[in-house]
Protein backbone atom coordinates (compact mmCIF):
# COMPACT_ATOMS: atom_id res chain seq x y z
CA UNK A 1 0.00 0.00 0.00
CA UNK A 2 1.37 3.46 -0.86
CA UNK A 3 2.04 5.84 2.02
CA UNK A 4 -0.87 8.20 2.62
CA UNK A 5 -0.03 11.05 5.07
CA UNK A 6 -3.70 11.96 5.40
CA UNK A 7 -4.39 8.58 6.96
CA UNK A 8 -2.65 9.71 10.15
CA UNK A 9 -4.01 12.21 12.70
CA UNK A 10 -2.44 15.69 13.05
CA UNK A 11 0.69 15.70 15.16
CA UNK A 12 2.89 18.51 16.50
CA UNK A 13 6.23 18.80 18.29
CA UNK A 14 7.17 21.49 20.78
CA UNK A 15 10.22 22.34 22.86
CA UNK A 16 9.79 23.37 26.49
CA UNK A 17 12.60 24.97 28.45
CA UNK A 18 13.54 24.49 32.08
CA UNK A 19 15.68 27.61 32.45
CA UNK A 20 17.46 27.63 35.81
CA UNK A 21 19.62 30.28 37.43
CA UNK A 22 20.65 31.27 40.95
CA UNK A 23 19.20 34.55 42.17
CA UNK A 24 19.58 35.87 45.71
CA UNK A 25 21.08 32.53 46.77
CA UNK A 26 18.02 30.57 45.58
CA UNK A 27 17.57 28.22 42.63
CA UNK A 28 15.04 29.92 40.34
CA UNK A 29 13.27 28.94 37.14
CA UNK A 30 11.74 31.09 34.46
CA UNK A 31 7.94 31.11 34.42
CA UNK A 32 5.76 32.78 31.79
CA UNK A 33 2.11 33.69 32.08
CA UNK A 34 0.17 32.36 29.11
CA UNK A 35 -1.60 35.08 27.16
CA UNK A 36 -3.70 32.76 25.00
CA UNK A 37 -5.73 29.55 25.40
CA UNK A 38 -5.30 26.87 26.48
CA UNK A 39 -4.59 27.65 30.14
CA UNK A 40 -4.79 31.38 29.48
CA UNK A 41 -3.58 33.34 32.51
CA UNK A 42 -1.77 30.35 34.02
CA UNK A 43 1.97 30.20 34.59
CA UNK A 44 4.01 27.82 32.44
CA UNK A 45 7.51 27.04 31.26
CA UNK A 46 8.76 28.95 28.21
CA UNK A 47 8.72 27.12 24.90
CA UNK A 48 6.98 26.81 21.58
CA UNK A 49 6.31 24.78 18.47
CA UNK A 50 9.18 23.43 16.38
CA UNK A 51 9.23 25.07 12.97
CA UNK A 52 9.21 22.98 9.80
CA UNK A 53 12.73 24.06 8.82
CA UNK A 54 14.57 23.53 12.13
CA UNK A 55 15.72 20.59 14.18
CA UNK A 56 15.14 20.21 17.91
CA UNK A 57 18.42 21.80 19.00
CA UNK A 58 17.82 24.80 16.75
CA UNK A 59 14.27 25.21 18.06
CA UNK A 60 15.44 25.07 21.68
CA UNK A 61 18.23 27.58 21.02
CA UNK A 62 15.80 29.91 19.24
CA UNK A 63 13.27 29.78 22.07
CA UNK A 64 16.03 30.36 24.59
CA UNK A 65 17.20 33.44 22.70
CA UNK A 66 13.66 34.79 22.30
CA UNK A 67 12.77 34.31 25.96
CA UNK A 68 16.06 35.25 27.67
CA UNK A 69 18.35 36.86 25.09
CA UNK A 70 20.88 34.09 25.76
CA UNK A 71 22.82 32.23 23.14
CA UNK A 72 23.88 28.64 23.66
CA UNK A 73 27.29 28.19 25.25
CA UNK A 74 29.96 26.73 22.98
CA UNK A 75 31.80 24.01 24.98
CA UNK A 76 34.95 24.72 22.96
CA UNK A 77 35.13 28.21 24.49
CA UNK A 78 35.73 27.90 28.29
CA UNK A 79 34.91 31.53 29.17
CA UNK A 80 31.94 32.98 27.34
CA UNK A 81 29.87 35.98 28.32
CA UNK A 82 26.09 35.70 28.09
CA UNK A 83 26.23 32.01 27.19
CA UNK A 84 23.98 29.27 28.55
CA UNK A 85 24.46 25.55 28.93
CA UNK A 86 21.68 23.77 27.01
CA UNK A 87 20.99 20.04 26.95
CA UNK A 88 18.07 17.82 26.05
CA UNK A 89 16.17 16.69 29.14
CA UNK A 90 13.37 14.25 28.23
CA UNK A 91 10.41 13.70 25.92
CA UNK A 92 6.80 13.97 27.10
CA UNK A 93 4.06 12.46 24.98
CA UNK A 94 0.92 11.77 26.99
CA UNK A 95 -1.91 11.91 24.43
CA UNK A 96 -3.90 14.26 26.68
CA UNK A 97 -1.09 16.60 27.72
CA UNK A 98 -2.30 19.35 25.34
CA UNK A 99 -6.06 19.90 24.79
CA UNK A 100 -5.52 21.37 21.31
CA UNK A 101 -4.15 18.30 19.56
CA UNK A 102 -1.62 15.52 19.96
CA UNK A 103 1.56 17.33 20.96
CA UNK A 104 4.87 15.76 21.94
CA UNK A 105 7.27 18.00 23.83
CA UNK A 106 11.03 17.57 23.84
CA UNK A 107 12.10 19.39 26.99
CA UNK A 108 15.51 21.01 27.36
CA UNK A 109 17.43 22.14 30.42
CA UNK A 110 19.19 25.52 30.27
CA UNK A 111 21.57 26.79 32.95
CA UNK A 112 23.15 30.23 33.17
CA UNK A 113 24.59 32.66 35.73
CA UNK A 114 22.44 35.23 37.54
CA UNK A 115 20.18 36.54 34.81
CA UNK A 116 18.27 39.83 34.50
CA UNK A 117 14.50 40.05 34.64
CA UNK A 118 13.09 38.13 31.66
CA UNK A 119 10.94 39.70 28.99
CA UNK A 120 7.68 38.21 27.80
CA UNK A 121 7.49 37.08 24.19
CA UNK A 122 5.35 35.03 21.84
CA UNK A 123 2.05 34.12 23.47
CA UNK A 124 3.27 35.03 26.97
CA UNK A 125 1.76 38.06 28.65
CA UNK A 126 4.29 38.18 31.49
CA UNK A 127 7.51 36.47 32.54
CA UNK A 128 9.46 36.26 35.76
CA UNK A 129 11.94 34.28 37.80
CA UNK A 130 10.47 32.26 40.65
CA UNK A 131 12.10 30.00 43.25
CA UNK A 132 11.67 26.40 42.15
CA UNK A 133 10.27 25.44 45.54
CA UNK A 134 7.38 27.87 45.00
CA UNK A 135 6.71 26.55 41.51
CA UNK A 136 6.81 22.92 42.64
CA UNK A 137 4.88 23.23 45.87
CA UNK A 138 1.73 21.14 46.09
CA UNK A 139 -1.21 23.14 44.79
CA UNK A 140 0.76 25.11 42.23
CA UNK A 141 1.92 28.68 41.97
CA UNK A 142 0.32 32.06 42.56
CA UNK A 143 1.59 35.61 42.80
CA UNK A 144 0.43 38.90 44.30
CA UNK A 145 -2.37 37.34 46.36
CA UNK A 146 -3.56 35.23 43.42
CA UNK A 147 -5.01 31.80 44.24
CA UNK A 148 -2.55 28.98 43.81
CA UNK A 149 -2.87 27.11 40.52
CA UNK A 150 -0.71 24.36 39.06
CA UNK A 151 1.59 25.11 36.18
CA UNK A 152 -0.05 24.67 32.76
CA UNK A 153 0.09 21.40 30.83
CA UNK A 154 2.47 18.90 32.47
CA UNK A 155 5.04 21.58 33.17
CA UNK A 156 5.26 20.83 36.90
CA UNK A 157 6.56 17.36 36.06
CA UNK A 158 8.94 18.72 33.44
CA UNK A 159 10.27 21.30 35.91
CA UNK A 160 10.70 18.68 38.64
CA UNK A 161 12.64 16.46 36.24
CA UNK A 162 14.85 19.36 35.18
CA UNK A 163 15.62 20.36 38.76
CA UNK A 164 16.51 16.79 39.68
CA UNK A 165 18.72 16.52 36.59
CA UNK A 166 20.63 19.62 37.70
CA UNK A 167 20.86 18.43 41.31
CA UNK A 168 22.20 15.02 40.38
CA UNK A 169 24.48 16.14 37.55
CA UNK A 170 26.48 18.63 39.62
CA UNK A 171 27.51 15.69 41.79
CA UNK A 172 29.62 14.04 39.12
CA UNK A 173 30.20 16.75 36.51
CA UNK A 174 31.48 20.32 36.34
CA UNK A 175 27.99 21.58 35.44
CA UNK A 176 27.78 23.78 38.56
CA UNK A 177 30.20 26.20 36.92
CA UNK A 178 27.48 26.93 34.32
CA UNK A 179 25.73 28.93 37.06
CA UNK A 180 28.85 31.07 37.59
CA UNK A 181 30.36 33.96 35.65
CA UNK A 182 33.54 33.24 33.66
CA UNK A 183 35.63 34.08 36.74
CA UNK A 184 34.34 33.19 40.20
CA UNK A 185 35.44 32.46 43.74
CA UNK A 186 35.17 29.18 45.59
CA UNK A 187 32.62 30.85 47.87
CA UNK A 188 30.44 31.79 44.91
CA UNK A 189 30.63 28.23 43.58
CA UNK A 190 29.73 26.89 47.03
CA UNK A 191 26.62 29.04 47.11
CA UNK A 192 25.60 27.53 43.76
CA UNK A 193 25.79 24.05 45.24
CA UNK A 194 23.89 25.20 48.32
CA UNK A 195 21.14 26.81 46.21
CA UNK A 196 20.74 23.86 43.85
CA UNK A 197 20.83 21.22 46.57
CA UNK A 198 19.01 23.28 49.20
CA UNK A 199 21.58 22.53 51.91
CA UNK A 200 24.34 24.34 53.82
CA UNK A 201 27.90 23.16 53.14
CA UNK A 202 30.98 23.48 55.31
CA UNK A 203 33.16 26.15 53.63
CA UNK A 204 36.52 24.57 54.50
CA UNK A 205 35.58 21.05 53.38
CA UNK A 206 34.07 22.41 50.18
CA UNK A 207 37.17 24.47 49.39
CA UNK A 208 39.39 21.43 49.94
CA UNK A 209 37.26 19.20 47.72
CA UNK A 210 36.85 21.53 44.73
CA UNK A 211 40.44 22.75 44.67
CA UNK A 212 41.70 19.18 45.08
CA UNK A 213 39.62 17.70 42.25
CA UNK A 214 41.84 17.46 39.14
CA UNK A 215 40.70 19.65 36.25
CA UNK A 216 37.73 21.16 38.09
CA UNK A 217 39.00 24.69 38.78
CA UNK A 218 41.88 26.69 37.33
CA UNK A 219 43.26 29.77 39.17
CA UNK A 220 43.13 32.91 37.06
CA UNK A 221 45.80 34.71 39.06
CA UNK A 222 43.39 37.44 40.11
CA UNK A 223 41.44 38.27 43.26
CA UNK A 224 38.21 40.06 44.10
CA UNK A 225 36.60 41.78 47.08
CA UNK A 226 33.04 41.71 45.71
CA UNK A 227 32.05 39.36 48.53
CA UNK A 228 33.40 41.76 51.13
CA UNK A 229 36.22 41.05 53.54
CA UNK A 230 39.65 39.92 52.41
CA UNK A 231 40.45 39.47 48.70
CA UNK A 232 39.34 36.07 47.44
CA UNK A 233 41.11 34.09 44.76
CA UNK A 234 39.41 33.89 41.36
CA UNK A 235 39.03 30.69 39.37
CA UNK A 236 37.59 29.61 36.05
CA UNK A 237 36.18 26.26 35.00
CA UNK A 238 38.85 23.71 34.12
CA UNK A 239 38.79 21.20 31.33
CA UNK A 240 37.29 18.34 33.32
CA UNK A 241 33.73 17.34 32.45
CA UNK A 242 33.52 14.49 34.98
CA UNK A 243 34.60 14.90 38.60
CA UNK A 244 36.71 12.24 40.25
CA UNK A 245 36.01 11.96 43.09
CA UNK A 246 32.41 13.20 42.74
CA UNK A 247 30.83 15.91 44.90
CA UNK A 248 28.24 13.80 46.68
CA UNK A 249 25.00 15.47 47.71
CA UNK A 250 24.54 15.50 51.51
CA UNK A 251 21.63 13.49 52.81
CA UNK A 252 18.88 15.69 54.27
Amino acid sequence: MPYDPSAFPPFAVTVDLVVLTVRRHALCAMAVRRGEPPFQGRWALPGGFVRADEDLAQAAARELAEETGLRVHDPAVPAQDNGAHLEQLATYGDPKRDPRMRVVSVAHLALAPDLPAPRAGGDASNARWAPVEELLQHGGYGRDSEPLAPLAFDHAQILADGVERARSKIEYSSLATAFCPPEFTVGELRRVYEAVWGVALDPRNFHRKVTGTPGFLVPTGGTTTRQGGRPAQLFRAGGATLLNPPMLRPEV
Side-chain angles (χ1 to χ4, degrees):
M1 295 292 291
Y3 171 66
D4 180 9
S6 65
F8 298 89
F11 197 91
V13 178
T14 61
V15 289
D16 287 310
L17 298 174
V18 179
V19 186
L20 300 179
T21 193
V22 175
R23 291 171 60 87
R24 301 180 182 90
H25 308 306
L27 182 63
C28 296
M30 180 181 290
V32 298
R33 190 194 293 275
R34 290 188 57 79
E36 300 175 2
F39 304 109
Q40 185 173 6
R42 290 261 290 275
W43 292 93
L45 298 176
F49 286 92
V50 178
R51 295 173 180 171
D53 61 346
E54 61 186 0
D55 62 24
L56 294 173
Q58 291 171 333
R62 173 180 55 79
E63 287 290 342
L64 181 66
E66 291 176 356
E67 298 287 354
T68 68
L70 289 170
R71 67 179 184 273
V72 177
H73 173 74
D74 182 355
V77 183
Q80 194 174 16
D81 292 336
N82 202 32
H85 170 87
L86 183 68
E87 66 179 64
Q88 195 171 121
L89 174 62
T91 302
Y92 301 82
D94 188 300
K96 298 181 179 179
R97 64 177 303 275
D98 192 316
R100 294 169 291 189
M101 62 183 296
R102 182 70 193 275
V103 177
V104 171
S105 177
V106 182
H108 288 70
L109 175 65
L111 309 177
D114 186 21
L115 298 174
R119 62 179 185 272
D123 63 353
S125 63
N126 195 4
R128 75 182 300 257
W129 294 106
V132 296
E133 296 303 325
E134 291 183 12
L135 291 171
L136 293 175
Q137 65 180 312
H138 182 71
Y141 177 68
R143 184 187 179 201
D144 299 334
S145 301
E146 298 172 350
L148 292 178
L151 292 174
F153 306 102
D154 52 359
H155 288 185
Q157 182 62 58
I158 296 175
L159 176 60
D161 292 345
V163 169
E164 181 53 35
R165 167 75 68 86
R167 285 173 173 166
S168 62
K169 201 165 182 178
I170 66 173
E171 291 188 88
Y172 62 86
S173 78
S174 58
L175 189 62
T177 59
F179 288 104
C180 296
E183 295 186 357
F184 52 87
T185 68
V186 169
E188 289 169 337
L189 181 62
R190 173 173 52 82
R191 281 189 282 275
V192 166
Y193 275 89
E194 291 177 333
V196 176
W197 283 344
V199 299
L201 300 173
D202 180 78
R204 291 186 178 180
N205 287 341
F206 181 84
H207 191 285
R208 175 176 52 83
K209 288 180 180 179
V210 297
T211 56
T213 301
F216 190 8
L217 303 181
V218 176
T220 66
T223 60
T224 181
T225 57
R226 61 184 175 229
Q227 296 174 273
R230 294 181 298 177
Q233 189 175 7
L234 286 168
F235 295 84
R236 61 174 174 82
T241 56
L242 298 178
L243 304 183
N244 186 21
M247 294 283 296
L248 297 180
R249 190 183 340 178
E251 294 184 2
V252 293

